[in-house]
Amino acid sequence: MKFISEAADKRIPCYRVLSDDGYPIAGSRFEQVDKETAVKMYKSMVTLQIMDNIFYEAQRQGRISFYLTSTGEEAINIATAAALTSDDVILPQYREPGILLWRGFTLQEFANQCFGNSADYGKGKQMPIHYGSNKHNFFTISSPIATQLPQAAGVAYSLKMDKKEACVVAFTGDGGTSEGDFHAGLNFAAVMDAPVLFICRNNGWAISTPISEQFRSDGVVVKGQAYGIRSIRVDGNDALAVYNTIRAAREMVIHEQKPVLVEALSYRVGHHSTSDDSTKYRPVDEIEHWKTARNPLARFRKWVHKNGWWTDDEESELRGSIRKQLLNAIQVAEKMEKPVLAEMFSDVYDDLPSNLHEQEKSLRETIKRHRQDYPTDVPV
Amino acid sequence: MLIFKNLEQGIRVIASRAYSYTTKEMTVLEALNSALHEEMSADPKVFLMGEEVGEYRGAYKVRLLKKYGPERVLDTPITEKGVIGWRRSCPRLNEVEEILNKYMLQAIDHIINSAAKSNYMSAGQISKYFANTIIFRGPNGAAAGVGAQHSHWYAAWCGSCPGLKVLAPYSSEDARGLLKAAIRDPDPVVFLENELLYGESFTVSAEALDSSFCLPIGQAKIKREGKDVTITAFSKMVGYALQAAEILVKEGINAEVINLRSIRPLDRSNINASVRRTSRLVTIEEGFPQHGVGAEICASILEESFEHLDAPVERIAVADVPMPYAANLERMAVPQIDDIVRDVRRACYRSSLLAAAA
């Protein structure tokens, strides 16, 4: 009679390519990234970082109601996006706007969604940062945690039935792995042989719950085997390692038509969202350490710099330009009209039902009678 | 003897063949499965998935499995949130989810927060890409001696949710027509069946046997015309209401019985039109009284037909307790025919007793 121990002798090792100083680690196998891709990756990481800062400030100024940053996880966002194709369907949690950014979602489009104006693809029906875009194969973000995981198995099954050369990429955080949907999603994907790439951004914190209080296992990577799913742990702050891991995992998922689990270790530098103040439950010097010494942008910049592909001048020029574009996008989005009244009643059902038709009519009559009480910036 | 037997058999065969061109006796379960078969053969995008629910139902699923193959009839691991979450995003496929609706609570987040809301919250983007057509069907409500956790009626809870359509068939014709309508409907539908009705047999008309047959969603049916009082009911209670009406007619009370068929959208216009004719209303449901379907119907009548009422509206529902298991207690917790008769008498001012339990 032999019990399997609750903990292995050693923790599962973590795949890394670049050291903290941006030098390739001796003995680490990786595929080289060309200059064009590397520069695009770095520029996107910078754009994401600045976008987060500026939108966060906009919320603090009361211009948008809510925002959530991906600060500290720029490498996971951008390197993953770079390693996928535009046909791969993304089912995000909410800390992955970098994927949209990489795929061409403009700063104006981000701003429009946050302001819920008439140009927002979501027609003002969702909270800020809950982006969605059919043309970018990015599912509209849904707030409840981990619900996208069993859904991912379904989407993947459909890709499989259509024999598409693409996979589904579903994200969750460390907290999301405690949800029942994590179990349902992974189990289903495994049993149905669904081509899903599950990526867990283990950033150490689920709002105020640290991973020491989230699970007793060796992180998330070990859970894969319990479902019969191949898995790997990668340093999420190492853009090259993430790029290589996702490339390899994607190949496996598509050619073997089965799910793979990737645990990307990182740190949530920002607060959970604008509704949170993380200094209340974690030390400020811990945040500073990960913001500076363990910063994924700094690490990747050192490598790109060393290859002679990026200069300090280009850096300051880029940062200045992005900042200006963002401030402009916010101004434009803020001034733009909100969605028309009819949008409140559309898309509840496929066709507008009679009761909603009546309610809309009744509302319009009320507005006509009391024009002076109706807000001027909401088009009828 | 042999010849006679053969002749008898022959006559029976010919008679039944002639009979099948006009009407047919069908159990509700047979009706549901015939509807599934027809829709699955008509449209290759329709597929069925769910958990094994029992021998006899498993047997039906086996036949579907043999005919349409494992890609279209999927048996799944036992996790309701998985089953529903999974399908929620299976693109371009019309799906029929079969779960024990009594376990719906374990998947309620996906039914409400995903299925009902995501078309709205994505401004239609999710459905342009992926079909929103999904039916959550399965047995629901009390099934005789199964205890509180297996006896919950979800009509009121699901019926309050915009984005969902909620249907509750009674007869085999309802089962066929509504299931077909649900499969063809682009919105998510919660299809509330009743386990005790599965084995009940009804006559189905030739029109209803046709594979193109479909009932409109959102329209109630007047099962019995009357002029003294309107009784609304759905699912098993329709049968009880009809039986109560037969008893009442002997006392000179002519009741109109409405089979709701659709909980959301509720056929407010037909119900109100009926009450304007009869001036009295009794609502029956197998769900809990507070915030129930009857409460919604009452509100609708008060809003639109207040002046037409000659008596307060009466609501009949299950007892406000978790369903007990013991047979005698269960019988007292669920509306019975004599409860309906007594209540209708009170609505017609034929009873001097005000207490509900007489």
Side-chain angles (χ1 to χ4, degrees), chain A residues 317-371:
Chain A
E317 200 195 303
L318 175 70
R319 286 185 180 264
S321 159
I322 299 291
R323 197 181 153 77
K324 231 188 341 192
Q325 285 176 53
L326 275 161
L327 291 173
N328 187 54
I330 288 177
Q331 270 197 339
V332 170
E334 201 166 30
K335 290 208 193 85
M336 210 182 288
E337 268 194 341
K338 299 296 183 205
V340 295
L341 191 65
E343 293 295 354
M344 180 163 85
F345 301 99
S346 64
D347 300 318
V348 182
Y349 294 99
D350 198 61
D351 284 325
L352 193 70
S354 59
N355 66 319
L356 289 184
H357 191 71
E358 277 165 40
Q359 286 178 34
E360 191 186 336
K361 226 173 68 174
S362 160
L363 178 57
R364 286 184 192 279
E365 280 162 21
T366 310
I367 292 171
K368 235 196 272 184
R369 277 202 305 273
H370 305 279
R371 192 76 231 200

Side-chain angles (χ1 to χ4, degrees), chain B residues 132-201:
Chain B
N132 211 26
T133 321
I134 173 168
I135 297 100
F136 308 106
R137 57 162 288 245
N140 174 73
V146 288
Q149 291 167 339
H150 293 82
S151 309
H152 209 127
W153 250 107
Y154 295 109
W157 289 7
C158 292
S160 74
C161 193
L164 287 181
K165 287 184 178 161
V166 183
L167 302 175
Y170 160 62
S171 63
S172 299
E173 184 168 311
D174 284 354
R176 267 184 64 78
L178 292 176
L179 186 56
K180 280 163 155 305
I183 292 174
R184 297 176 200 178
D185 193 289
D187 296 309
V189 178
V190 175
F191 197 80
L192 303 171
E193 301 163 10
N194 187 304
E195 196 162 329
L196 294 176
L197 281 177
Y198 282 146
E200 219 171 289
S201 214

Side-chain angles (χ1 to χ4, degrees), chain A residues 137 139 158 162 344 349-350, chain B residues 91-92 120 129-130 164 187:
Chain A
N137 271 334
F139 253 60
S158 184
D162 287 346
M344 180 163 85
Y349 294 99
D350 198 61
Chain B
R92 296 184 299 282
Y120 187 77
Y129 206 150
F130 304 111
L164 287 181
D187 296 309

